[in-house]
Structure formats: structure tokens, C-alpha cells
Amino acid sequence: MRAPAVHNPALVTDWRRFSSDTLVAFVRMQADLLRELTPGVPVTTPLRAFAAEFDYFDVANAVDFISVDSDAAIKSKSSEIAASIDLMRSLKGPKGHTPDGDLGFWVMEQKAGAVAWGDVNSLVRPGVVRLFTYQLISRGASGVLYFYWRQPRIGPEKFYGGVLTHDGSGKNRMYKEISQLGEELKRMGGLLKGTQVVADAAILINHENHWAIDQPLKPNKHFHQREHIQLYYNALHDKNILVDFVRPTDDLSRYKLVIAPSLHMLSGGQADRLKLYVHNGGVLIGTCNTGLVDEHHLTPMSGYPYELTDLFGLEVQEFDTLPPGEENHMHFKGSFTTSNLHPARIWCDLIDPQPGCQVLAHYARDFYAGRAAITMNDFGAGKAIYVGTLSHQNFYFDLISWVRQLCGLFPLIKVPDSVEVCMRQKEDLRLYFLLNHNPTNVRIQFFKPMHDFLTGQKVSGNFDLEPHGVLVLDEKVR
Amino acid sequence: MRAPAVHNPALVTDWRRFSSDTLVAFVRMQADLLRELTPGVPVTTPLRAFAAEFDYFDVANAVDFISVDSDAAIKSKSSEIAASIDLMRSLKGPKGHTPDGDLGFWVMEQKAGAVAWGDVNSLVRPGVVRLFTYQLISRGASGVLYFYWRQPRIGPEKFYGGVLTHDGSGKNRMYKEISQLGEELKRMGGLLKGTQVVADAAILINHENHWAIDQPLKPNKHFHQREHIQLYYNALHDKNILVDFVRPTDDLSRYKLVIAPSLHMLSGGQADRLKLYVHNGGVLIGTCNTGLVDEHHLTPMSGYPYELTDLFGLEVQEFDTLPPGEENHMHFKGSFTTSNLHPARIWCDLIDPQPGCQVLAHYARDFYAGRAAITMNDFGAGKAIYVGTLSHQNFYFDLISWVRQLCGLFPLIKVPDSVEVCMRQKEDLRLYFLLNHNPTNVRIQFFKPMHDFLTGQKVSGNFDLEPHGVLVLDEKVR
Amino acid sequence: MRAPAVHNPALVTDWRRFSSDTLVAFVRMQADLLRELTPGVPVTTPLRAFAAEFDYFDVANAVDFISVDSDAAIKSKSSEIAASIDLMRSLKGPKGHTPDGDLGFWVMEQKAGAVAWGDVNSLVRPGVVRLFTYQLISRGASGVLYFYWRQPRIGPEKFYGGVLTHDGSGKNRMYKEISQLGEELKRMGGLLKGTQVVADAAILINHENHWAIDQPLKPNKHFHQREHIQLYYNALHDKNILVDFVRPTDDLSRYKLVIAPSLHMLSGGQADRLKLYVHNGGVLIGTCNTGLVDEHHLTPMSGYPYELTDLFGLEVQEFDTLPPGEENHMHFKGSFTTSNLHPARIWCDLIDPQPGCQVLAHYARDFYAGRAAITMNDFGAGKAIYVGTLSHQNFYFDLISWVRQLCGLFPLIKVPDSVEVCMRQKEDLRLYFLLNHNPTNVRIQFFKPMHDFLTGQKVSGNFDLEPHGVLVLDEKVR
């Protein structure tokens, strides 16, 4: 309810926990009723990534399998859609099954053309629905349903895209595109069976933390948690490194690299899990806006980040925030060598490194010029990197290129940045999906011959992938 | 009332029909009461063009004569005000009479200077009130009342312009300007008596169609029906071709050219009227966004435009929409020759022309490059032109220049584009009004000598019309 | 309550008078209760300048001494904060006392760092809190309390700046800065005792006038009374001329110069006070938007300004208003010589000067080119200057430079424009405060040696004042 001033954020966070728990209890109650009335029939409810009003992991626990709504359309950035799909796939962990026994999830609503709710609902260009369908499959979907089957003749969604147009004749462009796709998938079915997406890197995500950040009064209204996550995700995505999304309390030991963007709210238990992971040899990237409050939304009596100052070997007493357009800059030194200039923007922690903590970059300007901006600390058998600021996208590309080598991560396949790659694998098979999101040809260079599943041809040397084209490569592994 | 999602547009359209009918019934009830209580006294209610919440033609039927509110002021575009006046004049058709027996309408509220409701209420420059008063007269007004007579000394409109200022002295600028005008009109009265504006071209307008388009979910939020109409109107206006506004169900046979911008909602009966008009030799211009739904707001089972695919000789299966700033282009060929480049914007129909339909222009870019954008079809004794997209204003100038010749329409008088011309006529007289809307002199060339009514002089050869100046030419016809 | 149209501004103004009177009555009732229950304990309530919902002068009368909230922080313009402080100091006139017997006021809430309610709550740079504390003292504060003492560990203001950080350790930057300031003020206390700010110029301010202007319908929505006042204030401030804010009904005889920006609502009694002031030898600057309505919100039956046409020797019949970006220009002549070009913007009075009234500038463009824009009239022993338009800031600098000489006003001390100067004085002492609001050194040239109170050194010749630095000079007067 409305208050004369803003509500206490501790109260608001608790309210949102309660709201989420109530919603999950409601889903669970309905699922139980269905299981009793229609035994043996699997239960699901379609989810839409990053809407964040409730805890997706909790809802995932309450249903039998994950199903999703996908808005993939021509204007969306492919790496943002990829992040959504990866989050959905991660909800039930690596063992999530669909009703047909596959590992993965179903797509309950994939758009078959333009939507009706945009300001401008342009036609979806030829090949784009097929392209985004392959993106879903490459990242774990084992079933895709289109919406609409036929355009409705009445109501506000009359001109929403459909597999069929109003006349139902099947003479339209979209019907032909999806028919072709159906033929391809019919042939691919056996190969896909039993394959799975396996990631070596993870990004931490925590709905409570999102709620804790999303308050009316903030240090900087231009800080957006989703954007911060996406900066790191884009860097992994464009380097073709597969990513899971996991909670701080999940088992992190199977990952070579864990990134934890802005864990503003952090409990002592969560902090301990992060320390355990690094102590046992993991590489962790933490950032500014971490450990500012505990699980009760109370600031620590020490500096930040709460309970992690020993892990990162530093303490933050103050942080500066910058409006859009104002920037500090970073000077790099030590083991993270980059010849590029990178700005510090939005948020700048003023870091006091403790003895032994290596400074990788310091600020170049203002009254905190010379103070540490990025550090690395040895902790047990692992390494804890602290990035005390936000930068532009290019910085994250450089950071991931360097960290990748530090923890022995390799890109799936070497292709131009604008081609998206994902891989499904099982014991004896690797299935690579190469997606050209550009409206122009992209030249790919194959250093060894590969097998193009869709045409049955061998590809080697220079290969031109057509606009919005898809290449599926199957590789036997012994 | 509020709904959890958007309302069904069919329901909303019916609701707006009901609302309009209710309002008209209320006006009719009041008019009937007045006629009973004050027999012989004519009844009217001032209207404001293009507000469109009710059907203006229906209200016009319920009152004895048309009267209007005019906001004409220095900042408004003269062709937009002209369109408003022409619409008002058209409401009762060519036989609409005022209480004094004249053909035409009255102006109940013409501004006498600045308004009070703008963000910045600048002074109206000298001569401008006189200029816009002549515009009203030239387009059919037979009476003009000013608002305010005297600036009010209290209330929110204290600084609203008046014929007199607060002191009521009559020493002010505006009083002098309107006094001069009064003298001129006193002398012109006899000449004006019995004259009428006669138009050979018409633009179709239909309030139900406006309501059908004006829904929360649209193919393109940047498509505006009023703007679309104005693009065609401006082209006719600037070529000095007089225009009526008519409903699809009106008698169209008296027009050489009928333009029907975006008849999104079209009934079978309305479609038949259009076919009849062309079949009997008329020239019709139809456009994209026509015949997408019938009168029940239901899409056809065929392609678009509903019930008119035979008239135009084509079928539309898909249409693309473009955000502001994105454009396709048109290549012209066939009988419509223009050397200019014209964009296609906002809306692009993907047209399948049938055999015999002539393609006048096709798209130059994107996956529908080479497909028809503008076509012309012979139908009975007439021609049906289909413009499947929107373009910039210059395109409509070129289009009207070409179509004008096709249907034998001639401009009233040859003057520079920035001079507005209108004509009132009766059996033996033509009264031309030339209005200079520029703050500078404009040179007009007369190829034959004419008579300047206001000065009594002959004008011939080069003539400089003063800034915001008015020239009234009277010509006897035998 | 809501009305179908806008309310009558006369009614709204009366409503706001009533609301203010009610609020003042409530403050008075509470103060009386406190005086009865805790006799001898002074009563105050913290005020925030220019919020203007009630009459500050009336509230000031109801309490024992003035206390203020100050938002002074790095982003605010120093001259705007200075205006706020000067207004607060002026509320109880030159005889306002604080509980400790000093002339002046107290600061109840001075920020100790960043706030929490901004979009971007950047750190307050080193030295800035000390700088703005000295600004308060230099303009009349005799007590300053900081907010927060310690950052709160919970709630929406957790990251609001405090003298102490969450840990309460006192090791933080802000604690050190304020400790230093405390040491300095402890030494300065004896010197400050009994000193007072004395101003020779005044700006008229009237809450009723503000309410009368602040109506939904205005001649120009881009006219802002606060900005208009600030244009004049900035010019005095940057020339180091001290200013009081006074009501039209106050005793004006102690000022050499009185400026009355836009007294839109003016009663006959107020007009008489202005005439009396000028008649007795004062110099008055009046402006456009003056005397448009009387105290009942009724326009005069004459031209504007109401009851002052004889004082200024002119009459205004019409005024033009210009949108942002559109400008007229002024040509200067007569005794006000400026070589600079100055625009006329927002508001342009069309002035009819009476015989004997000197035209200082006229408009350069539009249909009122050549008509008077600025005039000066001799009235009794004084002079009444009328500025019929608004201009950019530079014009006001030129105007004040010229008027200053006309009325024998002298700047406190000659320093670069970007250094703020204020002075407190008593019989035998002058205390100058020089504040450097720049993030860089500023060079000051001393033509005679002065005594730097904080260091105890003599300063003479060139002196570099450090970024955000403060110089306090004490000068004995015989």
C-alpha cells in the first residue's frame, strides 16, 4: 500500500519473498490437483525469462518440466534471447527432463511472424522464424509449438502472425517456411535424441537480490542489474563459451568459471558457498554493488562486500556513482594486459586492497585517481577477481579473453563474432549449430572438414553462410 | 470499462457507434424542443472539425444549419484549416442553407487574436485575423462572429485576444483591423449573395472507419488517418482543385475524382457504391489499409481489400510496416511518369496484381523488391488506382498532377504554391479569393486582366500581393 | 477540487491565501502551546527556501528564530544556494536573533555528503561540505547541524551520507573533513560574535504574486518567476553586491537599489510604497509582467502596469510571448551604453512611452521593431527603470554594472567572477569570506595586504586559492 514516504526496503523485500512464495504455493496446489485427477500426465506452465516477479527456480521445482514463451523476432538482439533461453534451460539444472524423456525443455509459444502489441509490427523477414527456432533447439529445446496456428479473424490480434493466414489456404510464405523446417527436424530427430547442452561457465542469479536492488531509492537509477548481467553474458556468448545460470546456493564445483554480477544482497551462507568454490580451485569474478546488505537488508558494520572482504582481499568504504555520459578511465597493469582504453562508468568502488591482493587496474581521474578499480586475490587453490566498476561492452570481451585462458576454457568453434554457435552433445556425438543473424552472407573458415547435416555435404575451407542461414554440423566422437 | 487486456475492437467500434447515436439522439431531442418552443427560429450547434468522437454528418442532419468554431491562428498550417472548413461545408451537402437563405455555413467563434490555452500565446501578427476571415468566407462561410468581443477582466481567459482590450476604448490594433474588414464586407455583401463553392473532386471520410482504426493495438502506431487524408488534401489544395468530403454511401456521380484514403473498415454495400462509381466512368484512388475488416470488424477469408479485389485487380496477402526513419523506395514505370525519387514509408502492401492490372510503381528494396506498390485497373468505363503505401508530401503532388489530367480537372487559377485560392460562384459570377499566407510579398502573374474588387483597379501582368494580403477578383460570366 | 474547466485564478489565489493563513495559524498555535509548556525555550521550525506553498514571512513571524534545511551539494549552482540563504536570512529582517543572541539564523540540516533521493547520488568531493558550510556562515548562519551523524544501517536512506559511516569508526573521509572545520570554527567563534550581513540592494518577493502567476493558463508556460528573480540575483551575486529579499510592503528606504521582477499581481497600496521609495530618491527596476492584475486578480481598465504607469512614464497595451529558441533583439541607446548584443526572449512588452520617459533600448525585429523595450523615467528624486522583456544572463551583468554606478553601489572586494564573496561586519570588524567553487586553483590579486584568519598569515599580491578552498580575511575598522 501507499506510504507517505518510500517503504523500508527490508519490508519490501520481505513482501516480495512472501508474494513469490504464495505464487509458488498456488502453482504447487494446482499441479497437485492435476496429478491427482490426471495421473501420469506431466504438468508445466509456460515461463518468460527475466520478468522476475517471482522466483523462477522455485516455480521450476513445482512443475514436472520447463516450458517457455519465446518472443524471438527480428528486432531482438540474439545474445539477449540466448540469455533468456539459457536461463530457462538452467532452472531444473542439468537433469531436467521433458515428457518425451529428453534432457531440456519445451517451447510452448514461439512466434510465427509479427506480433500485434508492438508500436510498429513489421513483417518478420524470410528465414528468421526458422533461424530463431534453431536457436531454441541448439540451446536445449526438444519441442516447439507455434503461435498462432492460423491468424484469428476477429479480436485485437487479427493481424498477429500465424503459420496460416486468415484464409487457411496454406499458400502463404510462413506456412512454407515452417513446413521446410518440419521436414528438416523430422530427419534430425534421431540425432538430437539424448543430446544435451553442457556448460563450463556459470553466471550467478538470485531473485531475492534482484528484489533487493529494485527499490525506489538507489545509489544510481541508471544501474540496471539485467544490463550488468548481460554485459558479462554477451562476452561469453560472443566468444562461444556456453553458460548456465545458477543460484549462489547451487553446487558450483562443476564450473571452471563463475561470475557473480552485483550480489547487492548476500547472506553469510551464500558468502560461504562462494568461498568454498574458490578455495577448492574455482575462479570467481565478483563486482561492485556486492555485499552491501545482508539477507535482512541490513548493512554490515564493516566495509563491503559483506563477509567477502577476506575472499577478495579488500575492503570498500565508499562508492561513487556517475550519471550517463560522465566517465572515469582505467589504467591496467599486472597480469591482465590490455592495450585498449576502457572507461569506468555508472559505479566506482573506492577499494582498499589488503596486502597480497594484486591490483589489475586503477582509476585514472578524479580525487580517487590511482586507487584500485580491479583486483585479483589468491584464496585457497583458486582466484577471486573483483571488478569494482562497470565499463562498456568491449572491456568485458577483453576481460573474458584473459580469464578464459586463466581457467582453461575454450570456444566451441572459431567463427566470426556475428555468428552464434551452440552445441548439443551426447557420448558419441557433437551437434554444432551455426546461426547467421546478419541480413548478409558471412564467410566461415573451416580448418578441418566437417559434415553439413542438412545437405549431407562436407564443408571445408571457406564457406559462405547465407543471410539468416543455419548450418548444422554433426561430428562423431570416439 | 477497464478490461484485463485490450477490448475486442469489434465491441469498441460498436460502443462508439452507440455513443454517437446516443449523442445525435440527444441533439435531435433538444432541437425538437426548441422548434416547438420557438417556432421559426433556426437551430444549430457549433462544431469543430476532425474531433471525431461522433458522426458529424448525423449531427448535421439533426440541426437546421451548420455552424463552426474556428481556431485559425498564425501557427496553424493554412491547408489544414482549409480541410477543416471544407469538411464543415460538406456536412449538409451542396444544398446546405444558413438562416439568411445563403448556401453555406456560419462561423460562431472566430478568434480575434491570441488564445489563452497554448503553451506560448504569442500575439497574432497584423493582418492575420483578416486573412483567415477571408479564408472562411472563400470556402463557404456567410457569417462570422468573433470571440472575444472584449477581453474579460477576470478569469482564466483574461489575456485571450478580443476585438476590444480590457479598457474597451477601441484604440487597439485588433479593433482597427476588424473595423476595416467590416467595411470591406459591407461592400461585398451583394456580390457574395447566392454564390457557392463547387468542387469536382471528393475525399471519402467515414467516422466508423476512423473508430475502427483508432484501437490500442495497430499494425503501426505511426499511421494516422488524419495525416493520410491530409497528404491527399494538401496536394489538391496546393494545385487549387476544390474538394468536398463525402461518405462512401453518398452520391459520388457528380465528382470527376474520388480519393478513398485507408478505408480500413468497409462493408459490402460501401464497396458496391465504389464499384458503381468507377463502372460508370469515375476515377477512384484507393490505398493500403483498405478493406481489412468488414462492418462487423471481421477480416475477410480472402486477401485484402475486402470485396474490392476485382475493382482494383489485385490481392494483398501481407503488409509490412516501417518505423519512422526507415524507408523503402519506389521505382516508377508505365503511364505514371515521374522523374522524382519517392520513398515508401509507414505501410507497404505486398500486392499480387491480377492479369490486366497495370503496375505503376514497384518497391526497390528489401525482400519484396520488385513487387507492385502502385497499380491501375480498368473497371467498366472508369479507372481504379491503388496506392499500396504512404510516401512523403511531394509524391502526392506528383500523383495529383498526373491524375488531374487523367480525369480532366483544371486548377482554378495559376498562382505560386504558397498562395491559397478558393472560388465562390453563381450563374453569372465567379469570385476568386487569393490569400498570401507568407510574411513576405508574393509575385503573381496574370495572363489576362482581372478586376480587383477591394480597390476597384484592374490587375494584369506582374502583381505583388503583400504579406498576409488578400486579393478578391470578381469575374462576370456570360 | 476538480472542475470541468480550469478554476478562476482569482478563486485559486484566494484559496492559496487561505491555505497559507491556515498553516501559519497552525504553526502559531503549536508555538503558543510550547511557550506555555516550556517557557523560555525558543521555538522554530526548519524551512526550505522557494518551496512557496505558504508565506515564509508570515511563518517567520510566528516562530522565535529562523532555522533552515540546506541541500547544498556539489551539483547545485552556488548562486542559487546563496539566493536561498539570503531569502532565509531576510525573513525576520535585519533584527532577527538566534537563541544564543546572535543576529542571523541556524541551519538545522546541512548535508554531510551524498543524498539518497537523487537519480545519481555521486560522492560529494573532498572539501565541498566545508566550502558550503562556510557559505552558510558567511551569509548569516550562527549554528550548523549535520545530517546524518551516522549512516543508518537499515531503511531507504542507508547510503545517505553521514559524518560517520555505518561502522561508526570515524576513520572515514567525511569525519576528518568536519573535524577540521570544527577546529577552525572553535577559533573563529569570538570574531563572529555580533557580526551581521548588511545589504544595500534588495529584490522584492511576494508569495501572493507567486501564487497569482502559478496558474494553469499563462501567457507563456516557459516564463518562470524563480528563474526571472535568479537572473537579477546572479548579476548582483557575481558582482559581489549583497542582497536582501523584501516584500513590497516592507520599508525600502534603507536600500540604494530595489529590483522588482514581475510583480504580476500588485495592489494599489503596494504600488504606492514603490512610488514613495522612488520619490524619495530610490532607484527601482521594474519589469514586464508587472501590474497585470490587482489584489483581486482583476485586470485594470487602463494599460499595464496597474497604478504604476505614472511612475515608469509608460503604458503597455499588448505583450508578445516567444517560445524557447525564438528571439527578438535589442538595440541600445541613451545613457545605458553596452557594446554587446542582447536578445529579447520569452516576453516582450509593446511599450508606449510618455513624454519625458527615456528609451534605453528598442526591439530590432518583427512588427514591433523600433518600439521601446527598456526605459528610464525620473520620478521625484529617484529613477524608475522598466525592463519590458527577458534576456540572457549576460544582459543582467551589463545592466547591473551600469545601474551600480547610477546608485553608488560598490562590490565588496575585487575577485574573479567564479569566486563567491560575502561579508559579516560589526562596529569595528569586517570578516570577508572568499569561496572557490571551482575544482581548480583560482588566482586572486590583493591590492592591499590582508590578514588570513585561518593561517594567521598576511596575504598580498597574487594569491592562489585552492580548489574548493576557503579564505577568511579579518579587517579591523576604526
Side-chain angles (χ1 to χ4, degrees), chain C residues 394-436:
Chain C
N394 279 342
F395 162 77
Y396 298 91
F397 291 140
D398 281 4
L399 178 71
I400 292 301
S401 292
W402 171 70
V403 168
R404 189 174 66 67
Q405 293 169 329
L406 199 71
C407 47
L409 277 169
F410 301 98
L412 290 175
I413 201 168
K414 205 170 147 49
V415 295
D417 277 0
S418 59
V419 172
E420 183 179 343
V421 180
C422 200
M423 183 180 73
R424 295 176 67 137
Q425 62 184 69
K426 55 186 171 189
E427 227 172 54
D428 55 350
L429 178 75
R430 287 189 186 138
L431 258 183
Y432 296 96
F433 296 82
L434 280 64
L435 314 177
N436 179 7

Side-chain angles (χ1 to χ4, degrees), chain C residues 6 9 72 83 90 151 154-155 259 274 281 311 315 322 342 346 394 452:
Chain C
V6 294
S90 303
Q151 290 188 297
I154 196 162
I259 301 177
L274 297 180
L311 173 59
E315 191 169 311
L322 305 180
H342 292 302
I346 300 291
N394 279 342
D452 177 345

Side-chain angles (χ1 to χ4, degrees), chain A residues 70-73 76-86 89 105 107 110 127-142 144 146 181 185 197 233 237 420-424 433-437 469-470 472:
Chain A
S70 165
D71 275 344
S76 309
K77 278 193 65 177
S78 59
S79 64
E80 285 177 12
I81 303 175
S84 295
I85 304 171
D86 286 351
R89 185 195 62 237
F105 60 93
V107 181
Q110 160 70 342
V128 169
V129 166
R130 175 172 172 265
L131 178 74
F132 279 102
T133 305
Y134 271 113
Q135 189 194 34
L136 286 159
I137 292 166
S138 76
R139 298 191 170 269
S142 76
V144 177
Y146 289 98
L181 184 59
L185 291 177
V197 178
Y233 181 89
H237 176 268
E420 182 179 344
V421 180
C422 199
M423 184 181 72
R424 296 176 66 136
F433 296 82
L434 281 65
L435 313 178
N436 180 7
H437 288 287
V470 174
V472 183

